[in-house]
Amino acid sequence: MWVDVESLEPDSVTSALVGSHIFIMSQVIQLISHNGDIYHKFLGSPRHTRLDMGYTRVHHDYQGGLSPAEFCEQLTIGLGKRALCNNEYANAQLFFEQIIDNPTSTLIAVEEATYWCRVASSNGAYDEDKFTLKTTNETTLAGVVEKFCGLLIRIPDDELMLDWKGVAGNGSWSHYTDCLREVILGIYQGLMDTAFEIEAYRISNGHGTTKVQRILGAWHKSYRQFRGIVFGLNGHDIDKQHLDMNYSLGKQRTIRNNIVHCIMAEFWAHGTAIRNAVQALKGQWERQEYPIQATCDKFGMPPGNYGTLEEILGISEERHNQLIQEFSSISDEVLDTGFSWWEDSDVTIRFRLNRMSWHLQDHAAVIETICERIGRKRSETERLVMRLYHALGHVEASLIGLSSLDLDRHVLIIKDMIESRSKELMSIYITEPYDDEPKL
């Protein structure tokens, strides 16, 4: 159906329909079941923002356009995803192969069809859910923490309190390294201590943080908490529909939809608004009908609702860090300067920066609720992983505005400690590291 949303005032019927399926810069063409399941958002179609409650006009719009052939390709993918959602794997595979085998298909259609075809051909099993041991050398603190956490979630919870078979901790920790749980808590405290030391270093050496950098730090901590919450989830978890339990969240998106939405909103929408506001104050930006266009032209389109979680979060990591670095030089003097984009009145740069943090907190809560709805119980090791990501966020937030030399100096000790513990987990718990499923 065609839904007309170009009204001056919100309409209750339109808002109820559009508010269920159109969010920030959502595709306007979607394949939706009669009871509200979203099977597919047509990539390449125009992107639009809901007109709901206070949203009385478009504020994130992208023209886009699909030819009849491209429309049919996207519809075919949607029908394949519908079959996949209903466990009709052979039927789903036929739909996807139509796109893959058609040499006139657009690249983005072939790319998505190829991903879902692998899932269909393996009867719903996701390739990325098979355990594979990464052997590449991690160069960042986040990479070292991620590797440790990836090993940790493979260990059963009943191992957490058994006697620790590795090396005891240093100093006072030598008395508190009785079991794996305490090893994990040692890493947590090591990360927090590193953050405290960096903060003290900044104060004593005249490298204090600006108000902007502290706001960015709060945003980055929210980002790491968000990453910790999605850590350990697999393909079935992030794609499972949950509309049969229609509570306060309404016709809610899947976990994958929430993750992709957060990435797109952070960099392509909210980040663009902040960048434009700062540039406008310098006289370097003129109001445009489609302000999101420049971001897409320069950095490409946001990710679609397909691909491995590792690939999607890789895009997120790159773009998030880019914004943190870019905005860290914003002057405190402009924090309370207002700028209007789609709003009826000016919104301050302070508010826009703060929004980045609470937007992620909002969706983190939603993802936890979805996990409960779909019956996805989190293991205790997964919950401990969340705490490690929380501590990682504190370290990285304390480094905002410092040079890479300062970063290397303060982070090297904790990196070495975590890398050493990762090797111990490998030697103690993972006895056959080259199997798809390690024996523990």
Side-chain angles (χ1 to χ4, degrees):
M1 67 179 71
W2 174 272
V3 182
D4 184 4
V5 296
E6 299 294 344
S7 58
L8 295 177
E9 298 294 334
D11 175 77
S12 59
V13 176
T14 301
S15 291
L17 178 63
V18 177
S20 298
H21 308 293
I22 303 293
F23 299 89
I24 293 178
M25 231 177 99
S26 294
Q27 293 86 346
V28 300
I29 305 175
Q30 301 179 20
L31 183 64
I32 303 171
S33 74
H34 69 280
N35 64 354
D37 291 331
I38 302 175
Y39 293 129
H40 182 57
K41 298 182 178 183
F42 285 40
L43 296 179
S45 66
R47 291 172 177 259
H48 199 60
T49 294
R50 66 185 181 193
L51 303 181
D52 190 14
M53 298 297 289
Y55 301 109
T56 56
R57 61 187 177 280
V58 173
H59 63 280
H60 295 290
D61 210 347
Y62 185 86
Q63 290 179 308
L66 291 171
S67 68
E70 291 169 335
F71 179 92
C72 289
E73 289 173 353
Q74 290 295 314
L75 178 58
T76 301
I77 291 175
L79 293 173
K81 289 165 74 173
R82 174 200 171 278
L84 193 62
C85 194
N86 292 319
N87 301 323
E88 300 168 2
Y89 301 121
N91 193 23
Q93 189 172 347
L94 291 175
F95 280 116
F96 298 135
E97 287 175 346
Q98 287 182 43
I99 304 299
I100 297 170
D101 296 338
N102 185 350
T104 63
S105 297
T106 57
L107 178 62
I108 194 167
V110 172
E111 189 178 77
E112 179 167 11
T114 300
Y115 174 80
W116 292 116
C117 191
R118 290 198 300 268
V119 179
S121 62
S122 58
N123 293 325
Y126 289 73
D127 286 346
E128 60 265 31
D129 292 342
K130 295 179 181 179
F131 177 79
T132 55
L133 182 62
K134 294 181 180 179
T135 57
T136 56
N137 293 322
E138 301 292 353
T139 59
T140 65
L141 178 61
V144 171
V145 171
E146 180 181 4
K147 183 174 182 180
F148 178 85
C149 291
L151 295 169
L152 179 60
I153 63 171
R154 303 289 169 173
I155 300 173
D157 286 348
D158 56 14
E159 294 279 346
L160 284 170
M161 295 300 294
L162 299 183
D163 290 346
W164 174 239
K165 301 174 184 177
V167 178
N170 295 322
S172 299
W173 277 102
S174 63
H175 307 288
Y176 293 89
T177 320
D178 296 332
C179 57
L180 175 58
R181 179 188 297 278
E182 290 186 347
V183 169
I184 299 165
L185 295 175
I187 291 176
Y188 172 88
Q189 189 57 61
L191 288 165
M192 295 300 293
D193 278 340
T194 301
F196 301 151
E197 288 295 325
I198 294 171
E199 290 164 1
Y201 166 84
R202 297 188 73 141
I203 293 172
S204 62
N205 288 273
H207 297 306
T209 53
T210 64
K211 292 179 183 178
V212 169
Q213 290 169 353
R214 286 195 289 274
I215 293 173
L216 294 178
W219 163 23
H220 184 72
K221 292 172 190 175
S222 291
Y223 178 78
R224 283 295 176 225
Q225 289 171 358
F226 183 88
R227 290 291 304 264
I229 284 172
V230 302
F231 199 96
L233 298 178
N234 61 34
H236 287 288
D237 298 329
I238 67 174
D239 287 322
K240 193 168 185 179
Q241 299 279 355
H242 56 100
L243 301 186
D244 56 320
M245 300 178 67
N246 187 16
Y247 298 137
S248 61
L249 295 179
K251 295 293 185 181
Q252 191 53 255
R253 293 161 285 186
T254 62
I255 291 176
R256 181 191 293 272
N257 294 154
N258 275 275
I259 294 171
V260 171
H261 163 83
C262 284
I263 299 170
M264 184 277 301
E266 183 176 82
F267 187 83
W268 279 264
H270 302 326
T272 293
I274 295 169
R275 181 183 296 115
N276 290 347
V278 173
Q279 291 178 345
L281 291 173
K282 298 177 180 178
Q284 299 173 350
W285 185 75
E286 296 181 1
R287 193 174 298 277
Q288 306 168 17
E289 183 178 2
Y290 298 103
I292 208 76
Q293 183 79 48
T295 299
C296 293
D297 289 345
K298 185 173 182 179
F299 301 104
M301 297 298 292
N305 290 303
Y306 69 93
T308 68
L309 193 54
E310 181 181 357
E311 292 168 343
I312 296 171
L313 292 178
I315 295 172
S316 172
E317 188 83 9
E318 178 183 0
R319 296 309 181 197
H320 171 82
N321 289 332
Q322 178 183 337
L323 288 181
I324 292 291
Q325 183 175 3
E326 178 182 347
F327 294 159
S328 64
S329 61
I330 295 176
S331 170
D332 287 351
E333 282 67 35
V334 304
L335 264 180
D336 294 315
T337 303
F339 177 80
S340 174
W341 185 3
W342 60 271
E343 302 94 346
D344 290 323
S345 60
D346 285 350
V347 177
T348 65
I349 292 175
R350 180 194 297 269
F351 182 90
R352 295 187 190 279
L353 286 171
N354 279 322
R355 180 180 181 176
M356 304 292 256
S357 180
W358 57 256
H359 182 255
L360 287 170
Q361 293 287 355
D362 179 27
H363 284 273
V366 169
I367 289 173
E368 289 188 284
T369 301
I370 294 174
C371 284
E372 186 175 300
R373 285 187 180 186
I374 64 177
R376 173 55 162 87
K377 294 183 179 180
R378 305 307 296 258
S379 68
E380 194 162 357
T381 53
E382 287 176 334
R383 296 183 189 278
L384 289 167
V385 161
M386 296 178 196
R387 274 64 185 176
L388 293 180
Y389 267 85
H390 166 83
L392 171 64
H394 276 266
V395 177
E396 293 173 325
S398 70
L399 289 164
I400 293 175
L402 285 182
S403 69
S404 58
L405 180 62
D406 293 317
L407 186 153
D408 291 339
R409 172 186 173 184
H410 288 89
V411 171
L412 184 60
I413 295 176
I414 187 63
K415 276 183 60 179
D416 288 346
M417 171 191 174
I418 299 173
E419 287 177 333
S420 176
R421 291 305 191 193
S422 291
K423 292 177 181 177
E424 286 182 298
L425 293 190
M426 285 290 302
S427 63
I428 296 170
Y429 296 103
I430 301 180
T431 58
E432 297 182 32
Y434 300 106
D435 288 348
D436 282 343
E437 292 297 335
K439 293 180 173 60
L440 302 176

